[in-house]
Amino acid sequence: LTCAYPPPPPHPKIDKTAFAAARSVPVRHFESTAAALRALRHEGYAIWAMETTARSRVYTSVACPPKLALVLGNEEAGVDPSVLEMADLLVEIPTFGLKNSLNVASAAPVVVFEVLRQWGVLDDAASVLSPAAGAGAAAETR
């Protein structure tokens, strides 16, 4: 989903960042994040915002629902407070040291990996991609 800015593909800024992926990934554009979240909630999605707050839970300590939308914030300002209020849950990645956050490109794959792990997607991928599975599949076709 894209919300407000940047505009949806095709757009030069999107093409510069996403390269050819912008043409192969389905995109739904909304005029605001609030409109996107209302639509997703209507479709049965749980809304989780990734933000470090006093009420956030560590991303590995919660069970991921089967229909989940993750909201990631602006690199500088994070998730807007009005959007945090719309979220069903706030999740965070624990960090140590002076800086209490990661950039979006680093944070997104960490939490998405955990979601996929909990959904069992990685188990399925591992069985297909493992050398043992590949050898067995090849042996069976001979």
Side-chain angles (χ1 to χ4, degrees), residues 102-126:
L102 299 170
N103 68 29
V104 170
S106 298
V110 169
V111 176
V112 168
F113 183 91
E114 176 63 13
V115 171
L116 295 175
R117 187 193 68 77
Q118 287 190 29
W119 286 350
V121 172
L122 302 176
D123 298 336
D124 296 341

Side-chain angles (χ1 to χ4, degrees), residues 126-138:
S127 68
V128 170
L129 298 175
S130 73

Side-chain angles (χ1 to χ4, degrees), residues 53-134:
T53 73
R55 51 179 231 222
S56 296
R57 308 243 333 254
V58 174
Y59 75 102
T60 55
S61 71
V62 293
C64 299
K67 290 183 83 172
L68 175 61
L70 294 173
V71 178
L72 290 86
N74 175 287
E75 294 277 349
E76 293 179 18
V79 178
D80 186 271
S82 65
V83 173
L84 293 176
E85 291 302 317
M86 295 181 74
D88 300 311
L89 184 68
L90 306 180
V91 295
E92 67 183 0
I93 299 169
T95 58
F96 304 94
L98 298 176
K99 186 81 170 134
N100 73 341
S101 66
L102 299 170
N103 68 29
V104 170
S106 298
V110 169
V111 176
V112 168
F113 183 91
E114 176 63 13
V115 171
L116 295 175
R117 187 193 68 77
Q118 287 190 29
W119 286 350
V121 172
L122 302 176
D123 298 336
D124 296 341
S127 68
V128 170
L129 298 175
S130 73

